[in-house]
Amino acid sequence: MLMRTFAWGLALSTVLVCAPGAMAKPAKAPAQAAAFPKPLAEEPIPSVATLPATWPAGWVLVHDFNFNSIVDGRIAVVDTTDSVRPLKGQVRAAQFANMLVSSANREIYTAETFYTRLTRGERTDAITVWDMATLQPKGEIVLPGGKRQQSVTYPHLFQFTNGGQWALIANFTPAQSVSVVDLAGRKVLNEIDLPGCAQIYPTGPRGFSSLCADGSLLSVTLDEQGKAGRSVTVEKVQDIDRQPLFGTPAMVGRTAWFVSFHGLVQGFDLSGEVARPLPGAFSVGTAEGGEPEWRPGGWQVINADAAGRLYVLMSRYGKEGSHKDGGTEVWVVDPAAKARVARIALQGQSIAIAVTREAQPRLIAAQATGQIDVYDTASGAFLRSLGHAGGTNPIVITVP
């Protein structure tokens, strides 16, 4: 007699298969009830948990773009120290959304787009305000004109300024502009034209900078009403043809560290009203085994720890057009010494990286398969996998 047991959800079935000519033996009598543990108590329905007032340093937000159903993107709250139950909650992030988080305000903001018939009908753009403890919506700010930029998520299409009181959001019609939003007042203040320039890098106490198609950079200072008070163009900050920069930098204080498609690191001081390129751009280094050469690659390719070290996602298969393919190593760079100080081998091809703000920082990497992995930044050792806690297509990792 051959016995096989199959489990699916709450269903449990037993299949008995008897060999030809054999007689099935009678089943054993069930054990006495006393031999079994006390049944579990009934659980109240619904059962809703609340997150701690202050999130632990090992928690991150992972943006699941959800390519198979873009109208149903989401932001996952993930505990990178817990390999058993890493997913702590989710909020919706619909239709090419962007996300910001404010620990000071205890709020998460998602810039989203909706249609009255899901994929068609009247369009509404809005910033949804979520409570960080309950993950419930607590308000929204409707954005007029149906012009919010809809593209695969870039962190610098939605940024804070004015001490976190305002948000800046990118528009694309295809004319480019930036809307200034008062988060506390729940209203749009102004819109600023941005011809030929893209991305939003908070600059000075109240303003932003953008990279432009001709290789220049534009810095805009805002007045108290959110209007453009002053704009300055800084010429030739990047070589678009030979050393184009990835649009998402690593932030160390008010210094933005960009890396180019070929591995050149360039810093910008964003503390003043006008962005200032730092002198002395440098290379992340080289290594053997390139096919044909090592280059940065992925979607979120550079990040930084609290000590100011830079982490760059690298691919051995670097070539023209490989800049979004992801990488299999992370190279750790000291910008003060302008030198690579470590290499961390990854478990698989990864497309996004971030570094936690724990006492012993951890490197978090999202594989192209959707798997989230955790590494020790000191030794480079692989610590644990969190499975698909970040959803189907984790594309951006945010450390609050």
Side-chain angles (χ1 to χ4, degrees), residues 313-358:
L313 184 58
M314 300 292 294
S315 170
R316 71 168 65 246
Y317 303 108
K319 62 182 185 300
E320 183 68 24
S322 69
H323 56 284
K324 292 182 181 177
D325 290 351
T328 55
E329 286 192 13
V330 169
W331 291 6
V332 185
V333 178
D334 179 354
K338 298 184 178 181
R340 184 181 68 215
V341 296
R343 294 171 65 178
I344 299 175
L346 302 180
Q347 293 289 297
Q349 181 187 12
S350 300
I351 59 172
I353 59 171
V355 183
T356 66
R357 293 296 187 265
E358 297 165 276

Side-chain angles (χ1 to χ4, degrees), residues 3-6 12-16:
M3 179 178 289
R4 295 177 179 173
T5 304
F6 301 85
L12 179 65
S13 62
T14 302
V15 179
L16 302 179

Side-chain angles (χ1 to χ4, degrees), residues 278-301:
L278 298 180
F282 61 95
S283 171
V284 297
T286 59
E288 298 294 331
E291 299 179 30
E293 65 178 338
W294 286 91
R295 289 190 187 184
W299 200 257
Q300 187 180 14
V301 301

Side-chain angles (χ1 to χ4, degrees), residues 157-315:
L157 298 180
F158 187 35
Q159 287 287 306
F160 291 121
T161 190
N162 195 21
Q165 298 179 56
W166 295 353
L168 304 169
I169 187 165
N171 302 314
F172 189 86
T173 62
Q176 291 170 280
S177 64
V178 171
S179 291
V180 183
V181 180
D182 180 351
L183 295 173
R186 303 287 198 257
K187 61 183 179 181
V188 177
L189 297 178
N190 196 35
E191 182 179 347
I192 298 165
D193 290 335
L194 201 65
C197 304
Q199 306 282 1
I200 300 166
Y201 310 106
T203 306
R206 192 171 56 218
F208 66 93
S209 296
S210 297
L211 294 173
C212 304
D214 62 358
S216 67
L217 177 146
L218 177 68
S219 290
V220 178
T221 302
L222 304 174
D223 65 17
E224 294 180 354
Q225 286 73 46
K227 298 179 180 179
R230 176 191 180 209
S231 62
V232 176
T233 296
V234 182
E235 302 287 352
K236 298 180 179 179
V237 300
Q238 66 168 318
D239 187 334
I240 292 290
D241 295 320
R242 296 180 177 84
Q243 292 285 354
L245 301 176
F246 284 91
T248 302
M251 295 302 302
V252 179
R254 298 304 303 274
T255 300
W257 291 102
F258 291 82
V259 65
S260 79
F261 291 7
H262 297 272
L264 185 73
V265 178
Q266 172 65 62
F268 291 84
D269 179 1
L270 305 181
S271 62
E273 292 186 348
V274 178
R276 181 176 64 87
L278 298 180
F282 61 95
S283 171
V284 297
T286 59
E288 298 294 331
E291 299 179 30
E293 65 178 338
W294 286 91
R295 289 190 187 184
W299 200 257
Q300 187 180 14
V301 301
I302 186 169
N303 214 272
D305 62 22
R309 290 181 293 266
L310 307 178
Y311 296 73
V312 183
L313 184 58
M314 300 292 294
S315 170

Side-chain angles (χ1 to χ4, degrees), residues 17-217:
V17 182
C18 298
M23 182 177 293
K25 296 181 181 179
K28 293 183 179 180
Q32 296 297 320
F36 289 90
K38 182 180 179 180
L40 296 174
E42 292 185 7
E43 296 184 11
I45 298 176
S47 177
V48 181
T50 299
L51 300 181
T54 301
W55 290 2
W59 287 24
V60 300
L61 292 153
V62 181
H63 191 149
D64 176 14
F65 195 74
N66 198 10
F67 280 99
N68 289 332
S69 182
I70 291 175
V71 296
D72 190 29
R74 67 284 307 268
I75 306 296
V77 182
V78 177
D79 181 355
T80 63
T81 68
D82 186 349
S83 59
V84 178
R85 297 182 63 184
L87 179 60
K88 300 307 178 186
Q90 292 181 335
V91 300
R92 184 201 63 233
Q95 194 88 357
F96 300 95
N98 292 98
M99 186 275 299
L100 286 173
V101 58
S102 171
S103 297
N105 295 339
R106 302 290 304 146
E107 292 175 340
I108 299 168
Y109 307 94
T110 51
E112 307 174 89
T113 295
F114 306 95
Y115 291 92
T116 53
R117 296 294 183 268
L118 189 62
T119 58
R120 62 183 177 84
E122 184 179 348
R123 171 177 170 172
T124 300
D125 294 343
I127 296 173
T128 307
V129 184
W130 307 84
D131 185 277
M132 283 182 67
T134 65
L135 300 185
Q136 292 297 310
K138 55 186 291 188
E140 72 172 13
I141 307 166
V142 175
L143 305 171
K147 59 180 66 176
R148 184 185 74 85
Q149 180 172 328
Q150 294 196 58
S151 62
V152 179
T153 299
Y154 290 97
H156 289 270
L157 298 180
F158 187 35
Q159 287 287 306
F160 291 121
T161 190
N162 195 21
Q165 298 179 56
W166 295 353
L168 304 169
I169 187 165
N171 302 314
F172 189 86
T173 62
Q176 291 170 280
S177 64
V178 171
S179 291
V180 183
V181 180
D182 180 351
L183 295 173
R186 303 287 198 257
K187 61 183 179 181
V188 177
L189 297 178
N190 196 35
E191 182 179 347
I192 298 165
D193 290 335
L194 201 65
C197 304
Q199 306 282 1
I200 300 166
Y201 310 106
T203 306
R206 192 171 56 218
F208 66 93
S209 296
S210 297
L211 294 173
C212 304
D214 62 358
S216 67
L217 177 146

